[in-house]
Each structure stands twice: as C-alpha cells, then as structure tokens.
DNA sequence: CAGTGGTCTAGACCACTTC
DNA sequence: AAGTGGTCTAGACCACTGA
C-alpha cells in the first residue's frame, strides 16, 4: 500500500491512475445498467478495501460522480445510483464574432439602431425593478463576408452597466464589448425556430417567413438582469452543436499559450 | 492549523467551508476581470500560506476550476486564467414522453413506419462499418393530447442493438425503449431551424414550409453508432432551454428517494 | 446513537516542463 | 536541474441522519 507514482495497470492498457480506474469501473456499472437506479454503491470503506487505497481517493471519485449527477450521496445511508437523467449536453454558445472567424470568414458588424429609453412594464419585470429602468436598445447586424450572418436585438440595463451609455459599439459589437466589460455570471438560453419577421427578413436578406433559428439569452448577475439579447440566424446558415460525454477522462485542458 | 469541523467564516455570512471560500474568491477575481486571461494564479504553496491550509485543499479547488475550464494548469509554470470561453450552457434534452408529461398533457405515440433494411452508403459511414449494416428505420409521431407534438425519424443499428429487431415500439416509443435498453454513453446534438417538408407538415398538421425546430442526435458507444434520430418540432410549440451557472455552490444533489 | 459522508491535514513520491 | 502540479496516504474531527 505504499504510495505509487503511476499505474496499477494490470494488463494491456495505458497507465491509468487509480482514481480514474475506480471512476471508470463504477461509471460503467451504472451506464451499462448493471447497477440500476436506486441501487446502493459500495460504502467508501468497502471501496477502500476493494481497491486497497485510502479513503480520500474513493471519496474524491464518489464526489465527482455525485457532481456529475450519476449518483446521490446521503449521510448514514450511503450513495445511490440516480435514475437516468435527461441527457445533459454542453452547449457552447460563442460570441458571434468568434463564431464567424471560426468559419474562416471575414467578420464585421454594423449598428442598425441604438437608442436610450426607459424599459417598458414587461421589461421592468425582467430587469427586476418594479419601476422602469433606463435601458439601451441596440440592433446590430453581424456579417460573414458579404452575407448577413445574424441579426442581434439587445437590451442593456443601464443601471447595471452605466458604462454602456456612451459606448458606440462601432469597434466592438455589444456582445463582444459586454463579454469583457461585465463577465458573465449566470445566463439562461431559449432556443427555438421561428418564421422571419419582415424586419428580420429585410436585414438578413432572406425571404419573409423563412425559417430562422432564434437564440434568446438573458444574462443576470445576482438578481438583476444585465442584458437580454435575441439572436436570429437564417435557418440554413447556422446550427448549434451540443456534445455530450459522460464524465471520466476530462483532464480538461485543450488550449495553449495564455 | 488544527483541523476544524466547520467554518473559518470571519464575518457575517453563513458557515462556508474553506475550500468553498477559496473557490469563490478565486472565481470572483476571474469573473470580475480583476484577474484577466493569462494572469497567473498564485502557486499552490502560496495559497497554502495565504489560507493557512494544506496543499490538498487548495489543490482540489484548483483542480475543480480547471475542470470547469476557468483556469489552465501547467506543470512547472503554474496555473493561469483562461481566456473567456464560449458560454457553456447545460442543455437538458429529455425523452419526448417526459417532455410532454412535464407539460401536463396526455401523451401517446404512434408508429408511422417501421422497416428493416440495410444501411445506405452514407449511413454505413455513419455506423462505422465500411460495408452496410442492418438497420431499423422508424418513424414515430408523438402526440400531446390531440395535437402532434413531435415527429421522430430514427435509424437504429441492429448490429449494436439486435434486441430491437423484434420490438414493435407500440408500448414504449423507440426513444424511451432505447434509453433503458442501451444506456447512453456519448451523444452529439445538432440543433437548427428548417422549413417543414411536405411529409413533416402532413404528420405534424402544420402548413408546409412553416418553421420547425430540428434536433438531431447521434448516439455512439465506443466507436459504433447506436442510433441516429431526427426530431422535428413545430416551431411555435417548442423551445429548448439551456441554463448556465458558473461553478461554486454545486453540492449537486437535487432529488430525493431513489 | 451509531455510522455514513464531508472536510481537512501533513506529509510523501513522481512526472512533467520549463529553465 | 529545479520547481511545478498530480496523485496518494493514513490518519483526524465533525455534522448530519436514518435506524
């Protein structure tokens, strides 16, 4: 039981850390259905004996499984397999500029509308104040090369982001600007399909009533809404990709050079 | 430095575990922009001194931040703030039946088509074999009350799921059946808007060319594709909701009673 | 009230990477 | 070659909770 640097790898496979091995084995039993929902997972001290390791090691594994939603831990009772959850996919919703650049297309944007006003009643509710709040309303067209890529309609809470008042957004689009100005803390997305309104069709140079993918995002910090944005993409130009991988692996360090 | 049960909570707040406090403080510095992308995070031994705790504690916190994608860890160099990522939202994609029930509507489904055939060339590629594989092709209409809710077009790899061969899917829809038969391991979703084809329009009782939300999901296990499904929702009836919360908090155990 | 998980420690060895 | 993170240990105390 002395501490080891690498792998108790018994057979063929590449060196696997002990905690990875434990994680994978338990995960497999759950995902394969061998351990159905509700089934109790071995206690920590049982796993300690089984894998001949310290409690910290198995504890970290079980904690991870719990965070991933695969098991539920209850004091004094034990850990249990949760019933199959909805498939939780991780949706990467990039900044529009990033999105266009990633396609290798030249990006630019133009501000179609920009006006300061007071929020309407309904918006006031959204922005968490009973009364009205000053907001900045912006319409922005994102271009990929010469083709319209996305029409953005945005409302910014000027109480939350007073710096926006004098910002023209000519250099950086509202999304890009806000992303670096007010780092996101909490967001909710609604994704749907809708027929293009005459305004959308005109801006995006598509036929009226053709299909668009609408992504609406409300960004909040604490209890106050920072901004609301509606992004309209021509249906044939865009799709969201959401990938889903169980857990495991995930050393989680894709990029380079900070 | 003796071990404590609860909280070094200094001021007002509710008792906070040390690792939570460390996590929140670092996270705040990053999200607020105070520590910009590329900035080095204090070394583990520095944080140990700062918080007067053991290395394991700070290590777990940094590991968590790395898994969450907020920082990047590099041996010998240190840990660094990553540049703002795409907003990663967690998309819960439920079983269609669950979805309808959740709306308080009576659910039922009907199989419109069901035929066994060999995969086409293109599909063969999808299914990971060079040659063709036997597949089951199914069309299924999901109803919410008396209204069509979703049209499902599905292809099941019979090499991977031979049990499907003799399944009628009358009792359980293909999605529901598969979910319990072949627990998901890896999935990729593509979400887009499209105009209804004549077939879709007829089945869903909507006008041709009206907007639909299309969710396509490819489910794989190892390197073999289990099933491919295309779900078409009338655009005005459905929207996906993806929520995003940074990290922290997350003891992660919502439900009850296994 | 006994046993579970939740947290934390003060060490240790190792591998990798940059210097 | 030095220093970082990555893993692991063999303990500990505590809080919660189900029996």
């Amino acid at each position: 039981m002395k501490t080891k640097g690498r792998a108790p790898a018994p057979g063929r496979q590449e060196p696997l850390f002990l905690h990875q091995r434990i994680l994978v084995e338990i995960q497999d039993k759950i995902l394969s259905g061998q351990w159905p929902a509700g089934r109790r997972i071995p206690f920590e001290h049982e796993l300690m004996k089984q894998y001949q390791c310290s409690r910290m090691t198995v504890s970290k594994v079980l904690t991870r499984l719990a965070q991933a939603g695969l098991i539920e831990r209850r004091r004094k009772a034990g850990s249990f397999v949760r019933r199959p959850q909805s498939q939780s996919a991780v949706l990467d919703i990039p900044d529009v500029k990033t999105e266009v650049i990633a396609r290798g297309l030249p990006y630019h944007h133009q501000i179609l509308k920009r006006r300061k006003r007071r929020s309407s009643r309904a918006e006031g509710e959204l922005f968490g104040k009973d009364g009205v709040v000053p907001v900045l309303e912006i319409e922005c067209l994102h271009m990929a090369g010469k083709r319209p890529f996305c029409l953005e309609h945005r409302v910014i809470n000027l109480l939350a982001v007073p710096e926006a008042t004098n910002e023209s957004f000519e250099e950086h689009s509202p999304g890009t600007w806000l992303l670096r100005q007010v780092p996101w803390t909490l967001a909710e997305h609604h994704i749907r399909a809708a027929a293009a309104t005459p305004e959308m069709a005109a801006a995006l140079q598509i036929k009226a009533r053709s299909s668009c993918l609408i992504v609406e995002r409300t960004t909040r910090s604490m209890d106050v809404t920072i901004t609301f944005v509606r992004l309209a993409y021509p249906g044939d130009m865009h799709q969201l990709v959401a990938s889903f991988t169980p857990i495991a692996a995930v050393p989680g360090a894709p990029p380079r050079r900070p």
Side-chain angles (χ1 to χ4, degrees), chain A residues 210-236:
Chain A
S210 61
S211 297
C212 289
L213 185 68
I214 311 285
V215 176
E216 292 176 337
R217 171 162 65 233
T218 306
T219 306
R220 294 189 182 81
S221 180
M222 305 304 289
D223 275 338
V224 55
T225 297
I226 302 288
T227 183
F228 166 84
V229 62
R230 176 186 302 124
L231 303 169
Y233 300 87
D236 56 348

Side-chain angles (χ1 to χ4, degrees), chain A residues 132-154:
Chain A
V132 291
V133 301
V135 297
L136 191 60
E137 181 181 8
I138 296 165
E139 216 150 88
C140 175
L141 185 64
H142 301 268
M143 306 286 294
K146 302 199 173 214
R147 291 188 58 184
F149 182 78
C150 170
L151 179 63
E152 167 178 350
H153 177 90
R154 184 183 290 271

Side-chain angles (χ1 to χ4, degrees), chain A residues 16 62 66 100 121 128 191 196-197 229:
Chain A
L16 211 53
L62 294 186
V100 172
R121 185 93 50 96
I191 299 150
T197 63
V229 62

Side-chain angles (χ1 to χ4, degrees), chain A residues 156-200:
Chain A
I156 301 174
N157 182 352
L158 287 177
L159 284 188
V161 198
E163 305 91 327
T165 310
N166 300 317
E167 177 61 42
S168 72
F169 302 111
E170 295 292 346
E171 181 163 4
H172 298 292
S173 75
T176 309
W177 184 86
L178 274 170
L179 203 62
R180 73 173 55 191
Q181 195 73 20
V182 190
W184 40 267
T185 51
L186 197 150
E188 182 172 317
H189 298 89
H190 289 240
I191 299 150
R192 59 191 170 85
T197 63
E199 295 77 20
M200 283 163 51

Side-chain angles (χ1 to χ4, degrees), chain A residues 97 100-101 103-109 142-147:
Chain A
K97 178 177 181 180
V100 172
I101 302 281
R103 300 185 176 208
L105 296 171
Y107 168 86
H108 67 106
H109 73 277
H142 301 268
M143 306 286 294
K146 302 199 173 214
R147 291 188 58 184

